[in-house]
């Protein structure tokens, strides 16, 4: 089964590019930029960073980003992720980036997006992987700052497929960003939002995503299972979930495998993703393996997870169909 998982053509839909900053690259960028890090070695840095909740995770997460300063830094970050993804047979990735985590430190929006975009174009050409960018707003900052960031993104509109919402959900409900997301919709962006797991008011927040924001997809979102009317509405709209099991295992009480099983059984379009793989030590293959170990998935279940992912991806229909055919071919010959 490990071989089947390794070879499966994959689609990654919940991946923060800043969360792919491996300590080795962090040290290299620090040196290149003349930044002194608080820890002498990669091992020391890893050992010093501990967290058990979304809030505590985010502290070290944002601190680490200080090494990202120049266009080549963002290029190297994204290219390294895409090369790693290719090694796991990821065929297509939708990549979140957090411009405000950089503009708030004085790094221009233009530097961030140009580096990421150049890496995607190079990787498409040289590695054969395809990728698109999703711009996330930081929900613990003001709606005004999110709106200003949305406006700043408009000249780069063709390089961004949609917008999302991440960072600390506590006290920062979807409705806080109602106007920002309405404007993003008007500008032609697709919409998603983090509905982090086991947060205060999770069900209310997911309900707001449906009724107020009108999301096209839900990031995480397993607490929808707590409310049967939510489940019905999500089924009716055919919305997908980007679940991140190993990440959930770090910041909640488990990897939520049973919830993934229930979602599959309900015919919900659930997918398995990696979130912040450099921090949670698991890229998409390891996430699929973790769920398989917990649930003893069949090859059909595993193929279904990737089928769901290509289906709910923000690709043109014809491109999706190409990947789905590849997947069908793989399961027919290897399954
Ligand atoms: N949730 C919220 N914010 C984040 C996450 C997440 O899973 N990963 C990186 N920033
Ligand atoms: Zn996330």
């Amino acid at each position: 089964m490990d071989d089947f998982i390794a070879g499966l053509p994959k689609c990654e839909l919940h991946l923060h590019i800043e969360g792919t900053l491996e300590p080795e690259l962090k040290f290299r960028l620090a040196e290149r930029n003349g930044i002194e890090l608080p820890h002498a070695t990669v091992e020391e840095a890893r050992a010093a960073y501990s967290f058990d909740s979304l809030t505590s995770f985010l502290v070290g997460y944002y601190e680490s980003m200080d090494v990202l300063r120049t266009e080549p830094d963002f290029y190297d970050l994204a290219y390294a992720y895409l090369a790693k993804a290719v090694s796991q047979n990821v065929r297509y990735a939708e990549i979140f980036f957090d411009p405000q985590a950089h503009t708030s430190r004085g790094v221009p929006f233009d530097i961030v997006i140009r580096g990421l975009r150049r890496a995607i174009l190079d990787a498409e050409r040289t590695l054969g992987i395809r990728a698109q960018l999703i711009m996330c707003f930081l929900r613990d900052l003001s709606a005004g700052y999110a709106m200003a960031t949305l406006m700043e993104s408009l000249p780069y509109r063709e390089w961004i497929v949609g917008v999302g919402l991440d960072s600390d959900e506590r006290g920062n409900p979807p409705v806080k960003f109602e106007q920002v997301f309405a404007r993003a919709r008007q500008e032609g962006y697709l919409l998603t939002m983090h509905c982090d797991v086991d947060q205060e008011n999770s069900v209310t927040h997911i309900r707001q995503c449906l009724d107020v924001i009108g999301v096209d997809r839900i990031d995480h979102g397993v607490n929808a299972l707590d409310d049967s009317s939510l489940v019905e509405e999500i089924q009716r709209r055919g919305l997908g979930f980007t679940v991140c099991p190993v990440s959930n295992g770090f910041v909640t009480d488990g990897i939520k495998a049973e919830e993934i099983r229930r979602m599959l059984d309900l015919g919900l379009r659930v997918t398995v993703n990696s979130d912040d793989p450099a921090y949670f030590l698991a890229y998409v293959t390891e996430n699929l393996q973790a769920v398989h170990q917990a649930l003893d998935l069949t090859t059909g279940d595993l193929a279904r997870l990737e089928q769901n992912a290509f289906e709910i991806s923000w690709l043109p229909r014809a491109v999706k169909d190409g990947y789905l055919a590849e997947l069908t071919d793989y399961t027919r010959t290897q399954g």
Side-chain angles (χ1 to χ4, degrees):
M1 198 57 116
D2 278 353
D3 289 346
F4 180 83
I5 292 174
L8 194 62
K10 298 176 188 69
C11 174
E12 166 84 87
L13 299 177
H14 189 145
L15 181 280
H16 301 265
I17 200 63
E18 293 88 354
T20 69
L21 179 59
E22 293 285 351
E24 292 75 9
L25 180 58
K26 180 174 157 186
F27 275 78
R28 201 143 45 80
L29 297 181
E31 191 173 15
R32 183 156 94 190
N33 291 325
I35 298 164
E36 192 143 351
L37 291 175
H39 304 289
T41 64
V42 165
E43 293 71 32
E44 253 184 56
R46 277 209 200 273
Y49 185 29
S50 75
F51 50 85
D52 61 1
S53 69
L54 179 59
T55 306
S56 56
F57 161 70
L58 289 169
V59 176
Y61 182 67
Y62 292 124
E63 273 172 17
S64 285
M65 293 179 202
D66 184 44
V67 299
L68 296 165
R69 304 235 173 136
T70 67
E71 191 268 1
D73 296 344
F74 288 92
Y75 175 92
D76 289 349
L77 177 69
Y79 196 87
Y81 162 68
L82 290 161
K84 174 74 185 179
V86 166
S87 78
Q88 297 202 338
N89 281 315
V90 174
R91 306 285 292 115
Y92 171 66
E94 283 173 11
I95 299 177
F96 294 132
F97 72 112
D98 280 339
Q100 293 165 287
H102 314 300
T103 56
S104 63
R105 302 182 282 119
V107 179
F109 186 99
D110 181 74
I111 292 281
V112 176
I113 195 160
R114 277 186 194 284
L116 300 177
R117 170 75 180 170
R118 189 163 64 86
I120 288 173
L121 291 179
D122 277 0
E124 285 187 355
R125 211 179 42 244
T126 58
L127 305 174
I129 188 174
R130 193 175 176 125
Q132 299 196 88
L133 291 171
I134 299 174
M135 176 174 73
C136 284
F137 305 110
L138 300 186
R139 69 198 305 161
D140 45 354
L141 304 182
S142 73
Y145 188 5
M147 187 65 97
T149 301
L150 176 63
M151 293 303 117
E152 198 171 6
S153 77
L154 294 180
Y156 311 90
R157 174 69 198 82
E158 296 309 310
W159 297 355
I160 303 169
V161 67
V163 298
L165 188 69
D166 63 6
S167 202
D168 202 346
E169 187 165 334
R170 264 194 320 177
N172 298 298
V175 288
K176 174 176 169 184
F177 297 93
E178 180 178 358
Q179 288 178 352
V180 178
F181 277 70
R183 180 64 188 265
R185 167 79 79 208
Q186 267 179 18
E187 298 292 346
Y189 290 109
L190 292 164
L191 311 182
T192 188
M193 275 192 177
H194 275 58
C195 297
D196 275 284
V197 176
D198 297 344
Q199 297 287 303
E200 268 169 31
N201 307 317
S202 274
V203 166
T204 307
H205 289 185
I206 298 171
R207 179 50 77 185
Q208 289 176 4
C209 281
L210 298 182
D211 294 352
V212 181
I213 307 296
V215 292
D216 298 292
R217 193 153 83 202
I218 298 171
D219 296 315
H220 297 298
V222 298
N223 295 98
L225 292 169
D226 301 344
D227 182 322
S228 60
S229 73
L230 263 187
V231 169
E232 276 165 32
E233 184 57 23
I234 289 165
Q235 280 170 327
R236 206 182 60 74
R237 297 190 195 187
L239 297 178
F241 295 88
T242 65
V243 177
C244 307
V246 176
S247 163
N248 293 166
F250 273 90
V251 302
T252 77
D253 64 0
I255 68 165
K256 306 294 174 186
E258 291 307 322
E259 286 79 355
I260 292 171
R261 176 79 265 166
R262 278 176 65 201
M263 287 175 150
L264 280 168
D265 293 344
L266 287 163
L268 292 167
R269 294 164 128 180
V270 58
T271 65
V272 166
N273 308 273
S274 65
D275 208 6
D276 301 289
Y279 294 87
F280 304 133
L281 313 176
Y283 285 77
V284 68
T285 292
E286 293 81 15
N287 272 275
L288 288 166
Q289 283 167 343
V291 178
H292 171 59
Q293 268 157 30
L295 295 178
D296 198 19
L297 296 174
T298 63
T299 55
D301 293 328
L302 288 158
R304 170 53 58 96
L305 290 167
E306 293 310 318
Q307 188 189 343
N308 286 344
F310 287 116
E311 277 293 349
I312 69 165
S313 74
W314 291 343
L315 282 167
R317 186 70 244 176
V319 181
K320 280 185 198 183
D321 286 344
Y323 288 124
L324 289 166
E326 197 182 320
L327 188 59
T328 306
D329 203 46
Y330 180 79
T331 47
R332 207 183 40 235
T333 55
Q334 310 293 319

